[in-house]
């Protein structure tokens, strides 16, 4: 069985109001129509890939993962401290409305350090060692501490573009149950201090079947590509970065960090 990463607990809010808001707000045009073309774009990107297109990739193809593993305990300590102090880590469903279908309110929290190429300076300042390490990641686009409450199941879903690859590093991994992820036809399990590199455009889902919180460092970075795939991926990521989907999430995160959102969001 393969090795992977981890996640934490959260307070709960009125899920009804958030679901009502989500239904009232139309999905961004990019996400509504882009999915119809995603298969074509992903096939073009795949043919230009300089690394395999398998669900799980060999971490040795990405030497920078060794730098993270060498300092994983320092990263874990910063993550735990940042999550514990105010304002802490909000529910992903509160920050990113598009995730509400798969991220139950209060069950999946994220402390963002980078998001689609945008720095979150307040959080980076709280995690200086982690900040220096992740800035060495080639093609870094997003980085966060991903926190999953006990008993949580994240249903099957897919990432938005094959132009990105995801890396998890286990920071806090419960040992009293089965904490796992399915990626395509592969099932992987996290281990503290170990990295897992995978393609999230494959159907994947996550379980924390334990009594404790799981915390992982989640990084997304640009897939190594030749043209024309590089041009296609860069164009898609540029559109996504400027989209209302990303800008709304940035605005919500700023509100959270200013203390303008409920503590149990």
């Amino acid at each position: 069985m393969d090795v992977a990463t981890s996640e934490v607990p959260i307070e709960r809010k009125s899920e009804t109001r958030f679901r009502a808001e989500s239904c009232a707000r139309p999905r961004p045009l990019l996400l509504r129509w882009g999915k119809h073309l995603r298969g074509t774009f992903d096939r073009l990107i795949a043919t230009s890939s300089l690394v395999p297109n398998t669900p799980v990739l060999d971490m040795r193809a990405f030497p920078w993962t060794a730098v993270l593993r060498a300092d994983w305990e320092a990263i874990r300590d910063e993550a735990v401290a940042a999550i514990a102090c105010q304002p802490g880590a909000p529910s992903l469903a509160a920050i990113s409305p598009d995730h509400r279908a798969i991220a139950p309110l209060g069950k999946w929290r994220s402390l963002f350090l980078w998001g689609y190429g945008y720095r979150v300076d307040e959080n980076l300042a709280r995690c200086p060692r982690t900040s220096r390490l992740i800035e060495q990641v080639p093609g870094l686009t997003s980085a966060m501490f991903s926190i999953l409450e006990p008993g949580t199941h994240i249903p099957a879903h897919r990432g938005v573009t094959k132009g990105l690859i995801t890396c998890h590093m286990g920071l806090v991994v419960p040992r009293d149950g089965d904490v796992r992820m399915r990626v395509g036809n592969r099932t992987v399990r996290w281990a503290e201090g170990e990295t897992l590199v995978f393609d999230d455009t494959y159907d994947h889902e996550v379980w924390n079947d334990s009594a404790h919180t799981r915390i992982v460092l989640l990084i997304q970075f640009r897939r190594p590509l030749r043209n024309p795939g590089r041009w296609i991926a860069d164009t898609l990521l540029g559109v996504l970065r400027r989209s209302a989907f990303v800008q709304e999430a940035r605005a919500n995160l700023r509100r959270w960090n200013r203390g303008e959102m409920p503590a149990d969001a």
Side-chain angles (χ1 to χ4, degrees), residues 80-89 126:
V80 171
I83 292 164
C85 73
Q86 294 299 320
R126 294 154 66 188

Side-chain angles (χ1 to χ4, degrees), residues 31 56 94 114 143 149 165 249-250:
L31 297 175
V56 179
W114 284 76
E149 256 202 279
I165 295 175
R250 292 183 70 210

Side-chain angles (χ1 to χ4, degrees), residues 36-102:
H36 300 298
L37 298 172
R38 182 169 61 183
T40 300
F41 290 145
D42 281 350
R43 283 191 292 274
L44 290 170
I45 291 170
T47 60
S48 301
S49 183
L50 297 173
V51 296
N53 288 295
T54 52
V56 179
L57 292 88
D58 189 340
M59 64 185 176
R60 291 173 296 184
F62 309 96
W64 52 266
T65 61
V67 177
L68 298 180
R69 292 192 298 273
D71 241 350
W72 81 270
E73 290 172 314
I75 295 172
R76 177 202 59 197
D77 292 347
E78 288 189 339
V80 171
I83 292 164
C85 73
Q86 294 299 320
S91 175
L92 183 59
I95 298 301
S96 177
D98 194 66
H99 280 86
R100 289 175 191 164
I102 62 166

Side-chain angles (χ1 to χ4, degrees), residues 97-165:
D98 194 66
H99 280 86
R100 289 175 191 164
I102 62 166
L105 195 65
K107 290 287 192 176
W108 183 6
R109 292 186 292 155
S110 296
L111 195 150
F112 283 86
L113 304 172
W114 284 76
Y116 287 101
Y118 294 104
R119 296 171 52 94
V120 184
D121 290 325
E122 304 96 315
N123 293 342
L124 287 168
R126 294 154 66 188
C127 307
R129 187 86 163 263
T130 303
S131 176
R132 289 194 297 273
L133 291 168
I134 63 176
E135 286 175 355
Q136 299 177 43
V137 176
L140 174 70
T141 62
S142 298
M144 68 191 77
F145 297 124
S146 177
I147 305 149
L148 205 63
E149 256 202 279
T152 299
H153 171 224
I154 305 300
H157 60 288
R158 294 179 58 202
V160 295
T161 174
K162 207 170 186 70
L164 294 175
I165 295 175

Side-chain angles (χ1 to χ4, degrees), residues 13-50:
K13 184 179 179 179
S14 167
E15 211 163 316
T16 304
R17 180 170 67 83
F18 277 103
R19 291 195 186 282
E21 290 175 357
S22 183
C23 292
R25 183 187 296 107
R27 286 164 60 85
L29 185 64
L30 176 70
L31 297 175
R32 280 185 282 143
W33 294 103
K35 65 181 181 181
H36 300 298
L37 298 172
R38 182 169 61 183
T40 300
F41 290 145
D42 281 350
R43 283 191 292 274
L44 290 170
I45 291 170
T47 60
S48 301
S49 183
L50 297 173

